[in-house]
Amino acid sequence: QVTLKESGPALVKPTQTLTLTCSFSGFSLTTDGMCLSWIRQPPGKALEWLARIDWAGDKYYSTSLGTRLTISRDTSKNQVVLTMTNLDPVDTATYFCAREETRGYFDSWGQGILVTVSS
Amino acid sequence: DIQMTQSPSSLSASVGGRVTLTCRASQTISKSLNWYQQKPGKAPKLLIYGASNLATGVPSRFTGSGSGTHFTLTITSLQPEDFATYYCQQSFVFPPSFGQGTKLEIK
């Protein structure tokens, strides 16, 4: 059974750095073709893909947010970490991690974590 | 980036009825189109991948079709649990992108 769960702070101040952790089980991120992505959703708005790390450790970022994002993995702990710098209130959103299948669809999702950016 | 446009943004339908949701891509994406269902406060759930393939455990009343730039999701015999927001997502080119969603409400 595949499970994913996001953890991190619920409240962050503007200009601070956000660090989110996705802990997963039921699959190996080192299996050929396996990827894990971060996706966010501002309240009442659509989904926005942020970043991906794949089975080889290659990293991919949103074209609009790329310079603010860093994704990394700890394969021994089955965890993927996303950091986002210079937070702004517009970054207030629910952040999801999701397993991304080879063909590019997200077949398993975490429950999401709501992060509010406010002073 | 490829822009995904969904229509309508919302619609009302009755239990037992049938609806068709549309998703258009700003450039051709072959059949690399996926559909998700999201209920309030929950994570999205994969319904359809590769334009027309039903994800595991998804009822057969959900049907996806299309290729190129025009795609549809049809739901027949609507059940109370089907009222939710539906998102399309292209996986043809990097970066993956989502539509803005269609909210399906009970009439």
Side-chain angles (χ1 to χ4, degrees), chain A residues 5-12 18-23 38 82 95 112-116:
Chain A
K5 187 173 184 179
E6 306 85 354
S7 59
L11 180 64
V12 181
L18 171 66
T19 299
L20 296 173
T21 300
C22 177
S23 302
W38 284 93
L82 180 76
Y95 288 76
I113 181 169
L114 174 62
V115 178
T116 301

Side-chain angles (χ1 to χ4, degrees), chain A residues 41 49 61 63 103-104 106 110, chain B residues 1 36 38 43 87 89 91 94:
Chain A
Q41 185 173 40
W49 180 85
Y61 297 103
T63 51
R103 285 163 285 184
F106 306 101
Chain B
D1 297 7
Y36 302 85
Q38 187 180 33
Y87 292 95
Q89 174 242 334
S91 51
F94 178 83

Side-chain angles (χ1 to χ4, degrees), chain A residues 37 39 41 44-49 52 60-64 96 100 103-112, chain B residues 1 32 34 36 38 41-46 48-50 53 87 89-91 94-101:
Chain A
S37 281
I39 296 157
Q41 185 173 40
K45 296 189 177 180
L47 300 159
E48 178 184 19
W49 180 85
R52 169 203 295 153
Y60 305 83
Y61 297 103
S62 157
T63 51
S64 59
F96 297 98
E100 184 177 351
R103 285 163 285 184
Y105 53 83
F106 306 101
D107 64 349
S108 296
W109 296 65
Q111 63 190 24
Chain B
D1 297 7
S32 300
N34 313 301
Y36 302 85
Q38 187 180 33
K42 301 294 186 182
K45 171 189 172 183
L46 177 68
I48 302 277
Y49 64 92
N53 300 290
Y87 292 95
Q89 174 242 334
Q90 68 82 17
S91 51
F94 178 83
S97 49
F98 293 88
Q100 82 280 15

Side-chain angles (χ1 to χ4, degrees), chain B residues 11-95:
Chain B
L11 76 161
S12 299
S14 302
V15 173
R18 169 190 171 120
V19 295
T20 296
L21 285 58
T22 297
C23 176
R24 293 183 186 271
S26 60
Q27 61 190 73
T28 184
I29 57 170
S30 185
K31 301 192 79 172
S32 300
L33 190 283
N34 313 301
W35 290 96
Y36 302 85
Q37 176 193 68
Q38 187 180 33
K39 297 182 180 179
K42 301 294 186 182
K45 171 189 172 183
L46 177 68
L47 292 178
I48 302 277
Y49 64 92
S52 60
N53 300 290
L54 221 54
T56 302
V58 175
S60 57
R61 62 180 181 272
F62 292 89
T63 304
S65 65
S67 65
T69 62
H70 183 225
F71 301 86
T72 60
L73 173 67
T74 298
I75 315 171
T76 58
S77 188
L78 279 165
Q79 300 299 300
E81 61 266 29
D82 298 337
F83 294 91
T85 300
Y86 293 84
Y87 292 95
C88 62
Q89 174 242 334
Q90 68 82 17
S91 51
F92 187 68
V93 298
F94 178 83

